[in-house]
Amino acid sequence: MKDSSKVIGYAFPWSVAPGDEVQFHLSSDVLKSASARIVRIRCADADPRGPGMKLHHQPSPLDGEIQLASHPIHNGSYGDIPDTKGLTNLKDFSIGAWIWPTFLTGKDQVVFARGSSTAAGGWRLYINSDGCLAFEITDGTHTASLAADRPVVVREWLYVHASFSATEGKLTLTAESLHKDGGRAQHVDLSGSSSVQPNLAEVASLTFAAELSGKTAPHSPTRNHFNGKIDRPRLYGRALSGAEMRRIVDSVVPDLNDPHLIGAWDFSLDISTDAISDRSRNALHGTVRRMPMRAATGANWTGTRTNWTAAPEEYGAIHFHDDDVEDAGWPVTQSSKVPDGIRSGFYSLELTAEHDGVKTESHIPFFVRPPRGKTTADIVVIAPTATYLAYANNKSRIDQIHFEVMADGLIVLSPDDLYNHKHRELGSSVYDTHRDHSGVCYSSARRPILNQRPGAYTFNYVNDTHLLDWLEEEGFAYDVITDEDLDREGVKILKPYRVAVTMTHPEYTSKNMLDALQEYQDDGGRHMYLGGNGFYWRIAFHPTKSGLIELRRGVTGLRSWEAEAGEDCLSFTGEPSGLWRSSGRAPQRLTGVGFSAQVFDRGASYRRLPDSHLPRAAFVMEGLADDEVIGNFGLRAGGAASLEIDRADRDLGTAPEAMILATADNTGAGGIPAPEELPVLYRGFTGEESTIARADIVLTPTAEGGAVFSVGSIGWCCALSHNGYRNNVARITKNVLSRFLDPAPI
């Protein structure tokens, strides 16, 4: 068995055109070198029952041995305020904020710090290893500290304050709970004397939610990360009482003319960026590192507005996590210019070696689009990179206790699963939760992603390559773009093509993507949606950083976590997240079908319906018998209607002229409808007794002679290669694609 984790890495950017440079960031803990080559991917599925791995060497200057080294990933988000005159020579000072702790780790968790606990001079307000609020100052040799005797209450707002007076030799620590009922109340009021005189003039950043290790570069290690929210942190140049400091903290905009106000950071400003803004006249602005969650409700959130754009002053909190990661920050191992004349498609840097008698084969995928402003084919395939990012390093198979029941089968873990479980520093998917059990809402391509590359993980990326394999088999020329390309460039990137093809699982969709596809269809474009569970979740790509998505899960949809109350709007854009159905744009309005059910235990087949015999739909079923069963085979669960399936629904937007050509409504007890399909619970709602859990094949004529063809199943493309590509799933797909390429109006 080949090992795929002895070398890991990532390519950036993911999507490149001829003339662009693609950079490869690689790491290995055991190998000093590996043999490298670029391969064009036709099929990435190692399953011996299918067509097999088909990787074609693309000669390049990278061919040969690549030298490797080991590189760490440093996790944990924090805020960084660079050292300035406003922070130096503070003899007396007070700090204060609202905090909402979410996880007691058994280690120190820093809320506020300047310097570090081992620096020549520093202080920190933190939760200690016992879970109690604490404050300490140090000169590097001696330390003075105060600590509460009760642990903080998690997921409750707590006002915290500490002060230090060098002139009086005194330090104080106070805290007060926002809510005082039901055992939530906590009151701390401590003071003590200190002869420690830290040299606070030493250059040192001010940090929120972590402590520096002596280095301040974005990718350097940090420690003692805080898990939870911090709201309205303040720094004052005098030693105030807790009550005096609370008045300053409670004010969104404190007295900016107060000469003693050193810093008044307002996290409700610049929410869609990495910037931390200081309202004080010192302008001690800073940066958040490693992507903590913004657009978080603060201690003053009233619940009357649930979108941060409507009441930004109530969203002055940032939720930090000790496992956040955005950019692994690895150096470039090798880079390569994409040559002119290269075919558009799925590509990978393949790395092979041998270690302790075990062969290593690892892949670093990327995508080559056609030359900018040009096309090389009449067909464009849209690679669903938002979905790839959403599932990136998904840990559900190990972490979610219900997963085996949901999958309705025994879970077999691959070496990649085990490596991903062991190496949590690689970051998580938006299906996972952080260590504090809050949902992961950001996912980045600037890190190794083990489950979206050729190999063992038979979902998304691997399934999609079955479509590429079939296109190659049938001799159809095609270009590849990514859905991020579509998000950035809009409908103009689609307009030159006669047919746009979306792949097996385009589940995660931004507004720009949806608008572009809708406009393309309205202008006469032909769209083949050859998957299931598509256009389901509303996401956003970061407005300036490529390869970075955001999702907030609401209280509808098939979900692995729910956002906190008031936090289901996207920090990148201010748009609502959740299901597109909840925004009035159910998938049925775009493609005629929308997510209906999961069916993992066994695949189903389609039966023809009366609409399939209409003269205007005759081209779809050409070559099939009138009563022919469709897709009673397939690489995924033995049927073309499998995994996740979509159905037509006129009430949700399936067009009046849409023709429902076939249905797979025999999904059995394993056909479990999506939660939004069941406004009330009742017996017999599964595919064994209900027709809700079904997949439909739909042809929809659109404006200007265009059309949309949808198959309603992730498993459809994985049936294309059955019987040497000679089957009715492949026949129907070829019939439709050939007709869609014909410019005659449909």
Side-chain angles (χ1 to χ4, degrees):
M1 184 175 184
K2 293 180 180 178
D3 182 279
S4 58
S5 59
K6 291 294 186 293
V7 186
I8 57 174
Y10 54 100
F12 206 82
W14 258 11
S15 177
V16 288
D20 293 347
E21 182 180 69
V22 57
Q23 297 179 333
F24 299 100
H25 307 255
L26 309 176
S27 178
S28 177
D29 293 337
V30 296
L31 297 173
K32 299 299 182 184
S33 67
S35 178
R37 65 174 189 162
I38 299 292
V39 293
R40 187 173 192 272
I41 295 168
R42 171 169 164 169
C43 184
D45 193 348
D47 191 332
R49 299 171 300 168
M53 296 272 277
K54 297 180 182 180
L55 311 177
H56 300 291
H57 180 213
Q58 177 71 39
S60 79
L62 292 181
D63 287 358
E65 288 292 307
I66 286 182
Q67 299 303 305
L68 301 170
S70 178
H71 302 292
I73 297 177
H74 302 300
N75 299 86
S77 56
Y78 65 102
D80 183 13
I81 309 298
D83 184 74
T84 67
K85 290 182 179 179
L87 296 177
T88 58
N89 298 314
L90 282 177
K91 299 298 184 183
D92 295 3
F93 65 90
S94 299
I95 50 178
W98 284 98
I99 65 171
W100 197 69
T102 52
F103 182 44
L104 301 183
T105 63
K107 298 180 180 179
D108 292 353
Q109 297 187 62
V110 167
V111 177
F112 250 122
R114 182 159 182 262
S116 72
S117 58
T118 59
W123 50 261
R124 60 179 184 161
L125 176 64
Y126 65 108
I127 296 172
N128 65 22
S129 58
D130 294 324
C132 302
L133 188 69
F135 176 55
E136 72 176 26
I137 59 173
T138 181
D139 59 12
T141 303
H142 304 96
T143 298
S145 63
L146 296 170
D149 59 2
R150 286 179 52 200
V152 299
V153 180
V154 297
R155 310 186 85 79
E156 293 290 337
W157 281 108
L158 182 68
Y159 162 69
V160 295
H161 155 263
S163 70
F164 172 69
S165 173
T167 54
E168 296 182 11
K170 181 180 178 182
L171 62 162
T172 65
L173 175 67
T174 61
E176 194 71 38
S177 299
L178 179 63
H179 299 290
K180 298 180 172 58
D181 61 320
R184 297 178 177 88
Q186 186 170 42
H187 178 77
V188 177
D189 188 1
L190 301 173
S191 63
S193 59
S194 171
S195 59
V196 176
Q197 296 290 325
N199 178 17
L200 294 171
E202 179 184 317
V203 174
S205 292
L206 177 71
T207 54
F208 307 122
E211 190 173 37
L212 299 177
S213 63
K215 300 178 181 179
T216 57
H219 307 301
S220 296
T222 44
R223 62 190 176 200
N224 296 333
H225 287 267
F226 175 71
N227 290 275
K229 301 184 197 180
I230 300 176
D231 180 19
R232 284 167 285 163
R234 305 286 188 254
L235 174 62
Y236 198 77
R238 289 175 52 203
L240 299 180
S241 69
E244 291 172 319
M245 192 63 184
R246 179 164 178 175
R247 287 192 288 271
I248 297 171
V249 170
D250 280 347
S251 177
V252 174
V253 184
D255 182 3
L256 304 183
N257 293 316
D258 187 336
H260 299 290
L261 184 64
I262 306 299
W265 293 276
D266 187 347
F267 296 161
S268 72
L269 303 175
D270 306 305
I271 279 177
S272 61
T273 75
D274 290 340
I276 296 174
S277 293
D278 174 23
R279 286 187 177 271
S280 83
R281 61 184 182 179
N282 295 307
L284 301 181
H285 307 310
T287 305
V288 288
R289 311 284 189 191
R290 302 179 192 146
M291 217 65 197
M293 195 192 83
R294 303 200 70 165
T297 55
N300 60 344
W301 183 60
T302 63
T304 58
R305 299 289 190 276
T306 57
N307 188 324
W308 61 266
T309 62
E313 69 281 358
E314 296 182 14
Y315 286 79
I318 295 178
H319 193 151
F320 298 90
H321 309 90
D322 63 7
D323 56 357
D324 281 327
V325 62
E326 176 198 349
D327 185 347
W330 290 352
V332 177
T333 307
Q334 289 282 0
S335 63
S336 180
K337 183 179 179 181
V338 180
D340 294 334
I342 189 173
R343 288 181 62 193
S344 177
F346 284 41
Y347 285 83
S348 175
L349 176 66
E350 180 188 80
L351 299 156
T352 56
E354 187 170 313
H355 178 71
D356 288 344
V358 177
K359 291 183 178 180
T360 286
E361 182 179 310
S362 190
H363 286 270
I364 315 298
F366 62 102
F367 308 90
V368 175
R369 52 183 285 174
R372 297 183 192 280
K374 297 181 181 180
T375 65
T376 66
D378 290 329
I379 301 167
V380 62
V381 176
I382 305 170
T385 53
T387 294
Y388 300 163
L389 286 173
Y391 282 82
N393 296 333
N394 187 353
K395 297 173 177 60
S396 301
R397 290 155 62 83
I398 290 178
D399 287 359
Q400 293 183 15
I401 58 174
H402 66 274
F403 192 88
E404 196 164 61
V405 175
M406 183 185 72
D408 211 353
L410 182 67
I411 294 175
V412 178
L413 299 175
S414 71
D416 282 354
D417 288 322
L418 299 176
Y419 188 91
N420 186 33
H421 171 63
K422 182 178 179 181
H423 293 272
R424 298 283 168 148
E425 71 275 9
L426 298 179
S428 299
S429 75
V430 299
Y431 285 82
D432 300 315
T433 56
H434 293 285
R435 291 215 305 154
D436 69 354
H437 303 297
S438 63
V440 176
C441 65
Y442 304 123
S443 182
S444 170
R446 290 181 180 263
R447 57 184 173 125
I449 297 173
L450 302 184
N451 61 339
Q452 303 300 333
R453 55 181 184 163
Y457 185 73
T458 54
F459 210 54
N460 298 331
Y461 183 95
V462 165
N463 286 351
D464 286 343
T465 65
H466 282 277
L467 173 60
L468 304 180
D469 177 56
W470 177 81
L471 289 168
E472 300 273 356
E473 183 72 22
E474 294 294 340
F476 287 107
Y478 62 92
D479 285 343
V480 168
I481 63 171
T482 67
D483 49 14
E484 184 170 7
D485 295 328
L486 182 60
D487 177 90
R488 305 290 185 191
E489 300 178 36
V491 72
K492 69 180 181 181
I493 201 172
L494 297 180
K495 280 189 173 181
Y497 296 99
R498 287 187 181 169
V499 184
V501 183
T502 45
M503 304 184 84
T504 66
H505 196 196
E507 181 179 2
Y508 292 85
T509 309
S510 70
K511 181 179 184 298
N512 290 347
M513 291 165 55
L514 204 59
D515 288 347
L517 283 166
Q518 188 67 65
E519 186 176 349
Y520 174 74
Q521 293 178 186
D522 290 347
D523 288 343
R526 285 90 186 267
H527 177 194
M528 294 181 70
Y529 164 40
L530 299 180
N533 187 214
F535 316 103
Y536 186 63
W537 288 105
R538 182 172 187 165
I539 60 98
F541 286 93
H542 193 279
T544 59
K545 298 179 180 181
S546 62
L548 182 60
I549 66 163
E550 179 183 13
L551 167 76
R552 303 290 179 101
R553 299 191 190 275
V555 293
T556 60
L558 194 65
R559 57 203 183 275
S560 52
W561 54 267
E562 294 179 2
E564 294 290 337
E567 294 181 357
D568 54 2
C569 286
L570 300 166
S571 65
F572 291 172
T573 62
E575 303 168 58
S577 191
L579 299 187
W580 271 111
R581 175 172 173 168
S582 300
S583 292
R585 299 183 72 174
Q588 283 90 343
R589 295 197 64 83
L590 181 75
T591 64
V593 297
F595 186 41
S596 167
Q598 291 182 326
V599 52
F600 291 123
D601 63 335
R602 64 177 180 85
S605 59
Y606 298 83
R607 58 186 175 86
R608 293 181 63 171
L609 296 176
D611 281 358
S612 71
H613 302 287
L614 294 173
R616 58 183 176 155
F619 70 89
V620 177
M621 299 294 174
E622 185 179 346
L624 274 70
D626 288 350
D627 60 351
E628 186 168 338
V629 174
I630 300 166
N632 56 340
F633 49 83
L635 198 56
R636 301 292 178 257
S642 58
L643 303 181
E644 292 177 337
I645 55 177
D646 298 359
R647 67 177 177 87
D649 190 319
R650 306 287 183 187
D651 291 338
L652 289 174
T654 302
E657 290 193 356
M659 292 164 278
I660 304 174
L661 308 181
T663 190
D665 56 359
N666 56 336
T667 54
I672 309 297
E676 65 274 13
E677 297 285 81
L678 300 170
V680 295
L681 296 178
Y682 54 89
R683 300 175 75 178
F685 63 80
T686 70
E688 192 172 31
E689 299 177 60
S690 170
T691 59
I692 291 177
R694 71 177 194 271
D696 292 331
I697 298 176
V698 177
L699 176 66
T700 307
T702 57
E704 308 297 329
V708 180
F709 175 75
S710 301
V711 299
S713 168
I714 288 177
W716 179 272
C717 287
C718 298
L720 289 168
S721 63
H722 176 73
N723 192 34
Y725 307 92
R726 294 186 297 277
N727 60 75
N728 51 28
V729 168
R731 181 63 184 264
I732 289 170
T733 309
K734 186 175 182 179
N735 287 345
V736 174
L737 182 52
S738 299
R739 178 63 184 90
F740 276 24
L741 286 169
D742 183 344
I746 297 175

